[in-house]
Amino acid sequence: MPGSSPCMLEKPHTLPPEEAARRLGVNPATGLSNEEARRRLEICGPNVLETGKRKGFLEVFLEQFKNLFVLMLLAATVFSFYVGETVDAVLILAIVLFMAILGAVQEYRAERILEALKKLASPKARVLRDGRIVMVDASEIVPGDVIIVMEGDRVPADARLLEAKDLYVDESTLTGESVPVHKKADTILPEDTIVSDQINMLFSSTYVVRGTGKAVVTATGRNTYIGRIARMVAETRAEKTPFQVELDRLAKRIAAIVVLIATLSFIIGYVFQEADLVDLLLTSIALAVAAVPEGLPAITVIVFSIAAWNMARRNALVRRLAAVEALGSASVIATDKTGTLTVNEMTVRQFHTPDGRVYITTGEGYRLEGGVFEGDKQVTAESSPLLRLAGLVSILNNNAELENGKIHGDPMEAALLVFAHKLGMDLTQVKKEYRRLREIAFSSERKRMTVVVEGPEGLLVLSKGAPEIIIERSTSYMTIDGSEKPLTDAEKTKLLEQVENIAGKGFRVLALAYRRGDKRDLEASDDVVESRLVLLGMVAIIDPPRPEVPEAVRRALEAGIKVVMVTGDHPSTARAIAEMIGLPRGRVVTGQELEKMSDDELKRIADEVMVFARVTPEHKARIVRVYKELGHIVAVTGDGVNDAPALKLADIGVAMGRRGTEVAKEAADMILLDDNFATIVAAVEEGRRSFDNVKRTVLYLLSANIAEVATVFYATIKGIGTIFNAAMLLWINIVTDGFPAAGMAFEEAEPDVMKRPPRRRGQAILGKPQFTYLLLLSTIETVLTLSFYHLYAAELSPAHGRAAGFLALMYAELAQSMALRRLNTPLSLKIIPSNRQWLAGYIVGAILAAISVTVLADLFRIGSLSPVDIALIFIVSHVAVLSFEEVRKRLGLHV
Ligand code: ATP
């Protein structure tokens, strides 16, 4: 590739488009070949800003040692070695290494999952390769690629425009200027034109607000304008979830307390009991290390990334880990209608003329079979000038395409094409006969679309849109014989009632209108062009609810989640669909009413609203804000560019994977790959499940830690000396925390996850009930441990007492991990095998515990226990913990 650098074309804005393409070595008509693109990708590197160095396993492993407590342990090892306790030293070292490996494996896996998810959710770009338009990962774009951008696209790289149609680009990310820039392909600019004036260029990271464009890529990745000014833009750090922050804080507090207790027991032991200094020091250090829950915040990452993975398998791609947590607490889901609640497969079922005739259309979906009937009589465009014009609007005021039952573009427009075909019109022929001279594009705010076309009868203005708007803009209507009559206000009212009627049956209603035009319509303002229309009639379109949605709505309601429909459609259509899918009866508030309401008024009725209809994206953001201010955790769906603010504002912004624009996807926390409402509910369930899993792991680890500290502390003040030495404490952590705790992250959803109300905003994970639980459980475990200690110490020897206490604590913890598999409902034996990870951890833990008091007894310097003793301790610990838990659950002491 000629030019200053093989991966970049300098000053492309000074070149004519063809020259830019030539210098970049590409034919604009066909784009690069796949092979050439691959070659350039190798030379120039991927089109990404940050190099995003991937952490290897070794790095993750070494990071485990960047931890004060591990360093303390290593110091303890050296110390033990120094004072001649070689066995202890080796044991501690082995255990530390093992824990580091275990920690690293978990973290590494979580990171890989997140990375894979990131890849799945990566932005896409439309590019011409080998003469065909394909979607590729934006990271695979190379200099010389010919890209095609349209409304809602994020521009993937810097590019010189080859063609631009009505193209407006928001460049606020680069220039701070929020007014979209009108781009033009056919200008050549002086060399010193500043970026914000380079209207023949597209820049990476900006986005298309309107229109379409074709451009040749001049720079990618770090060579782009944004890449150059932002070389320092480091990868955004994974932000912590509120849960993580809470756990962080908690872990710090506990650490402080534990260190305090460890110091205290050291002082007491040394001053009052005159215990062995070396032993005391080692125990204190080990106590601090074993009991400090430094792994607590990491648990959320592990559990939530597993959840994110599960969600991805269920078609919900999470972009921020915090969203998993938020999903678990979602209390309001504000959802679009079209395509999310409905199948978005549209069929025109009826055509109503202004003078009250009704035509029925037969046939389903986008298949071309079927016809239009008045009673038993089939009609065609030839039957009446009115029907012919309705067909013309359907074909020409339309950007969709139909190809063997497959559609491209807006499904509603595709339905209109099918309708025109059923009227006996030849779509290709009509498109050839009429040339489009102007388009006034559809937007959710305008709720209408107009084209000016030139055909055999001269210029025609063809409009379609929301009936109230088209009727308002019409001054006359056409009768079936083709004559035009003035439209009085009384007739308008009657027509609107008729619309109400049709919409009330769940049909989407769209009005069609036309007007003879002239040259002035090419220059006049949009408003002028779209006035003095002649109403042709209304089409009634059916878009049935997705079959799985009523069940999903029922589940959401049962889970205490408010589902509210937010739609641009007519209130009556929206209400009918809302009723079909089983939303509880409630108010239908229109965008117009919304505008008149103050926030306070809106808040007062917010709970009763079933549907917000005829709303714009701006209203949507306000709705989200109001529900949030009411204390709700809000999920909202969106697909358009203008939905981005609402998506960002919501606790969980949900973008549509299929219909959604790149901008919406980028603003969202989660992407629905199948655009389906039921997937949101499934994700909520997964969120709640992972919430439970974090909770059970935290409760488990903390009560075990408290019991350990309490036992050691008791032993010190009682003058028993070292019950558990450093190695033993670490061993307990491996046996109990390492194995079964890791399995807890995989626990299935409890049967009642979707039957309880959502968590309230700001509600702590560890509140009073949880602290009570911790206190009670750690007391039981401590009492068990000490009882066995005393029993065996009295009967056999203190060394046997220590072994018995050691084993009792481990078995009590294992029993607790079993009980916690159901947080608040009684256990049944049936569930035991359902979580294989946990079961394996439990069995390995139980065996390791038994080994430690037999084979390894000498190493730990404790007495060796007989199989009968082991069985006895196993049974007693399990009975004690499990029966306590069963009683707690039955008493309704929920955690
Ligand atoms: P939802 O918000 O649930 O997706 P919607 O598709 O009706 O529903 P919008 O896309 O905001 O919402 O459309 C608003 C209204 O604009 C529609 O109800 C329809 O009357 C009109 N409309 C939609 N698409 C077009 C179009 N391509 N041309 C003309 N009018 C349209």
Side-chain angles (χ1 to χ4, degrees):
M1 191 168 32
S4 44
S5 138
C7 295
M8 206 181 148
L9 181 65
E10 295 286 352
K11 315 234 179 289
H13 61 280
T14 58
L15 304 171
E18 317 74 49
E19 176 59 15
R22 196 189 62 76
R23 290 202 196 176
L24 284 157
V26 63
N27 173 356
T30 55
L32 294 176
S33 68
N34 279 314
E35 202 180 316
E36 176 62 14
R38 221 172 301 127
R39 199 183 66 83
R40 292 190 187 189
L41 188 63
E42 232 159 71
I43 301 173
C44 305
N47 177 33
V48 286
L49 285 186
E50 80 281 2
T51 37
K53 213 170 69 189
R54 207 168 163 228
K55 271 195 230 164
F57 181 76
L58 192 67
E59 200 176 332
V60 178
F61 174 71
L62 289 177
E63 270 176 13
Q64 309 291 314
F65 294 91
K66 279 193 211 153
N67 174 313
L68 178 67
F69 294 98
V70 177
L71 292 180
M72 270 167 66
L73 271 183
L74 291 180
T77 315
V78 175
F79 181 70
S80 313
F81 205 72
Y82 179 72
V83 295
E85 302 281 351
T86 322
V87 178
D88 266 16
V90 172
L91 206 55
I92 298 175
L93 192 65
I95 292 171
V96 170
L97 279 179
F98 182 78
M99 291 205 304
I101 291 173
L102 201 70
V105 167
Q106 288 187 341
E107 214 180 296
Y108 185 74
R109 196 161 69 168
E111 244 171 57
R112 281 299 94 93
I113 289 180
L114 291 181
E115 199 176 283
L117 284 176
K118 215 164 146 192
K119 226 180 235 153
L120 282 177
S122 65
K124 303 272 184 288
R126 217 171 281 110
V127 51
L128 194 61
R129 296 250 174 101
D130 276 330
R132 294 184 39 189
I133 297 177
V134 287
M135 292 295 270
V136 301
D137 268 355
S139 63
E140 290 169 18
I141 297 285
V142 294
D145 257 332
V146 175
I147 53 170
I148 286 122
V149 293
M150 39 184 85
E151 180 181 319
D153 282 352
R154 167 93 42 199
V155 175
D158 288 1
R160 170 69 168 94
L161 278 167
L162 302 168
E163 288 165 26
K165 279 197 202 113
D166 193 25
L167 184 65
Y168 287 82
V169 179
D170 180 326
E171 297 190 333
S172 53
T173 40
L174 291 189
T175 60
E177 172 59 59
S178 61
V179 180
V181 184
H182 191 177
K183 296 282 180 180
K184 295 204 169 88
D186 46 13
T187 38
I188 297 168
L189 299 166
E191 197 174 318
D192 55 359
T193 314
I194 56 171
V195 165
S196 52
D197 291 341
Q198 294 186 10
I199 57 165
N200 56 9
M201 289 287 298
L202 290 176
F203 295 102
S204 172
S205 301
T206 60
Y207 67 84
V208 180
V209 185
R210 214 169 104 181
T212 54
K214 185 173 167 188
V216 56
V217 172
T218 55
T220 59
R222 292 159 65 86
N223 291 330
T224 59
Y225 182 72
I226 184 123
R228 271 177 293 161
I229 55 170
R231 286 261 158 99
M232 54 289 203
V233 173
E235 200 183 343
T236 38
R237 273 166 52 91
E239 106 196 69
K240 288 196 169 166
T241 77
F243 216 14
Q244 256 174 304
V245 175
E246 189 183 334
L247 286 180
D248 254 344
R249 210 178 321 132
L250 187 76
K252 280 205 188 99
R253 259 187 232 156
I254 296 175
I257 296 172
V258 170
V259 170
L260 195 77
I261 293 180
T263 319
L264 214 62
S265 64
F266 176 80
I267 295 171
I268 295 174
Y270 185 61
V271 178
F272 299 101
Q273 268 90 33
E274 290 167 19
D276 179 51
L277 186 63
V278 175
D279 256 8
L280 261 182
L281 197 62
L282 282 176
T283 311
S284 299
I285 292 175
L287 189 60
V289 173
V292 166
E294 72 271 42
L296 218 53
I299 290 164
T300 39
V301 178
I302 292 161
V303 174
F304 285 165
S305 38
I306 292 171
W309 190 247
N310 288 338
M311 287 181 187
R313 282 200 311 216
R314 290 167 88 167
N315 283 328
L317 263 188
V318 169
R319 297 187 65 240
R320 285 191 314 133
L321 221 42
V324 177
E325 180 182 330
L327 271 167
S329 339
S331 59
V332 168
I333 304 177
T335 170
D336 284 341
K337 172 175 71 69
T338 310
T340 313
L341 297 172
T342 65
V343 290
N344 206 10
E345 189 183 286
M346 310 226 182
T347 317
V348 173
R349 276 287 154 76
Q350 302 167 349
F351 178 66
H352 296 251
T353 65
D355 53 6
R357 285 170 192 253
V358 185
Y359 296 88
I360 306 288
T361 309
T362 59
E364 286 301 320
Y366 304 112
R367 283 196 307 271
L368 299 175
E369 298 88 47
V372 182
F373 294 85
E374 185 180 25
D376 302 333
K377 201 174 92 219
Q378 183 159 9
V379 295
T380 64
E382 303 306 321
S383 320
S384 134
L386 171 65
L387 290 178
R388 177 171 162 79
L389 277 167
L392 282 186
V393 178
S394 300
I395 299 169
L396 299 167
N397 181 325
N398 200 315
N399 289 323
E401 268 166 59
L402 207 57
E403 206 185 294
N404 316 326
K406 277 214 178 125
I407 64 160
H408 302 281
D410 181 8
M412 193 175 68
E413 294 193 339
L416 289 175
L417 292 180
V418 176
F419 172 61
H421 178 88
K422 288 177 184 170
L423 276 173
M425 297 178 81
D426 181 340
L427 308 188
T428 333
Q429 184 61 29
V430 172
K431 280 187 190 162
K432 245 190 240 150
E433 263 173 24
Y434 293 83
R435 204 157 59 93
R436 186 189 283 192
L437 302 179
R438 175 171 180 180
E439 173 183 343
I440 309 175
F442 165 77
S443 78
S444 304
E445 284 84 2
R446 289 173 18 86
K447 298 188 175 55
R448 61 184 182 272
M449 168 173 167
T450 298
V451 295
V452 182
V453 296
E454 185 176 38
E457 60 268 70
L459 289 193
L460 290 177
V461 176
L462 306 174
S463 294
K464 70 178 194 304
E468 67 273 21
I469 290 178
I470 296 295
I471 291 173
E472 181 55 39
R473 295 186 158 268
S474 299
T475 44
S476 51
Y477 67 94
M478 184 174 272
T479 61
I480 198 72
D481 58 12
S483 56
E484 291 175 16
K485 301 226 166 110
L487 198 54
T488 63
D489 282 349
E491 276 163 332
K492 284 188 181 178
T493 315
K494 236 177 86 196
L495 279 169
L496 288 175
E497 273 166 23
Q498 197 184 339
V499 169
E500 198 77 34
N501 230 325
I502 313 169
K505 302 197 176 82
F507 288 112
R508 277 169 80 89
V509 189
L510 201 72
L512 312 180
Y514 101 111
R515 166 167 74 71
R516 294 206 170 274
D518 53 44
K519 284 269 174 306
R520 278 172 298 176
D521 288 315
L522 300 180
E523 302 298 329
S525 73
D526 296 355
D527 194 46
V528 169
V529 177
E530 293 176 314
S531 57
R532 293 175 292 114
L533 298 173
V534 182
L535 183 69
L536 298 170
M538 282 86 64
V539 283
I541 300 169
I542 193 79
D543 175 21
R546 289 173 178 267
E548 61 278 32
V549 162
E551 169 64 12
V553 168
R554 195 190 58 72
R555 280 163 55 76
L557 295 175
E558 198 171 44
I561 300 168
K562 178 170 179 62
V563 180
V564 51
M565 182 195 286
V566 182
T567 176
D569 211 340
H570 192 283
S572 298
T573 313
R575 178 192 284 278
I577 299 282
E579 283 170 4
M580 282 183 214
I581 59 168
L583 289 189
R585 274 172 194 277
R587 289 177 72 142
V588 178
V589 177
T590 64
Q592 255 179 349
E593 291 166 337
L594 210 55
E595 304 228 315
K596 291 196 200 105
M597 268 184 221
S598 70
D599 276 0
D600 283 337
E601 281 169 299
L602 183 53
K603 278 181 194 161
R604 236 170 285 134
I605 59 154
D607 272 345
E608 303 155 26
V609 179
M610 160 169 81
V611 171
F612 289 99
R614 284 290 189 240
V615 293
T616 61
E618 210 175 301
H619 294 140
K620 204 187 235 182
R622 178 162 172 230
I623 293 167
V624 169
R625 180 173 53 75
V626 162
Y627 276 112
K628 273 181 81 174
E629 282 171 10
L630 283 170
H632 283 294
I633 297 190
V634 184
V636 71
T637 66
D639 46 19
V641 177
N642 303 342
D643 284 332
L647 290 172
K648 276 199 189 130
L649 189 65
D651 297 283
I652 312 126
V654 183
M656 298 299 142
R658 296 198 188 156
R659 262 190 355 258
T661 54
E662 288 298 316
V663 178
K665 286 182 202 167
E666 229 163 272
D669 304 300
M670 184 168 100
I671 301 173
L672 287 188
L673 295 181
D674 58 0
D675 292 10
N676 190 342
F677 176 80
T679 304
I680 307 178
V681 179
V684 167
E685 179 176 353
E686 192 61 48
R688 286 189 173 196
R689 167 188 161 196
S690 56
F691 217 84
D692 280 356
N693 284 345
V694 170
K695 195 193 257 173
R696 60 168 59 87
T697 320
V698 170
L699 288 177
Y700 176 61
L701 295 182
L702 285 185
S703 46
N705 283 355
I706 298 174
E708 286 163 32
V709 177
T711 307
V712 173
F713 194 59
Y714 169 87
T716 320
I717 50 176
K718 273 287 189 181
I720 296 171
T722 309
I723 271 202
F724 300 149
N725 62 22
M728 286 163 88
L729 285 168
L730 292 172
W731 183 263
I732 296 176
N733 275 11
I734 288 187
V735 168
T736 61
D737 295 5
F739 293 106
M744 284 176 156
F746 294 94
E747 193 59 53
E748 286 301 319
E750 294 198 28
D752 69 336
V753 262
M754 291 302 270
K755 297 202 166 69
R756 33 176 137 112
R759 245 164 58 100
R760 281 195 319 279
R761 179 180 285 280
Q763 188 183 342
I765 344 161
L766 294 180
K768 220 159 145 206
Q770 287 76 24
F771 278 113
T772 315
Y773 169 89
L774 287 178
L775 204 69
L776 285 174
L777 229 107
S778 53
T779 307
I780 291 179
E781 289 177 355
T782 313
V783 169
L784 259 176
T785 308
L786 292 172
S787 307
F788 273 109
Y789 168 79
H790 282 303
L791 191 69
Y792 278 75
E795 266 191 18
L796 296 169
S797 72
H800 285 89
R802 291 168 58 212
F806 185 38
L807 191 64
L809 183 53
M810 288 189 279
Y811 280 158
E813 289 185 20
L814 288 177
Q816 191 196 356
S817 80
M818 183 186 291
L820 275 175
R821 293 195 49 203
R822 290 279 178 273
L823 282 170
N824 294 315
T825 47
L827 275 189
S828 77
L829 284 178
K830 272 199 302 235
I831 73 154
I832 301 280
S834 67
N835 176 349
R836 272 193 247 135
Q837 272 96 337
W838 169 83
L839 187 62
Y842 174 84
I843 292 172
V844 171
I847 293 172
L848 282 180
I851 289 176
S852 64
V853 293
T854 50
V855 184
L856 300 179
D858 282 349
L859 271 184
F860 288 116
R861 284 179 289 165
I862 53 179
S864 173
L865 298 181
S866 73
V868 177
D869 294 327
I870 294 176
L872 176 78
I873 294 174
F874 180 88
I875 293 168
V876 175
S877 313
H878 276 69
V879 169
V881 172
L882 291 175
S883 47
F884 166 80
E885 276 287 84
E886 289 304 289
V887 171
R888 170 184 73 82
K889 292 171 185 175
R890 277 164 219 271
L891 288 181
L893 298 173
H894 288 177
V895 287

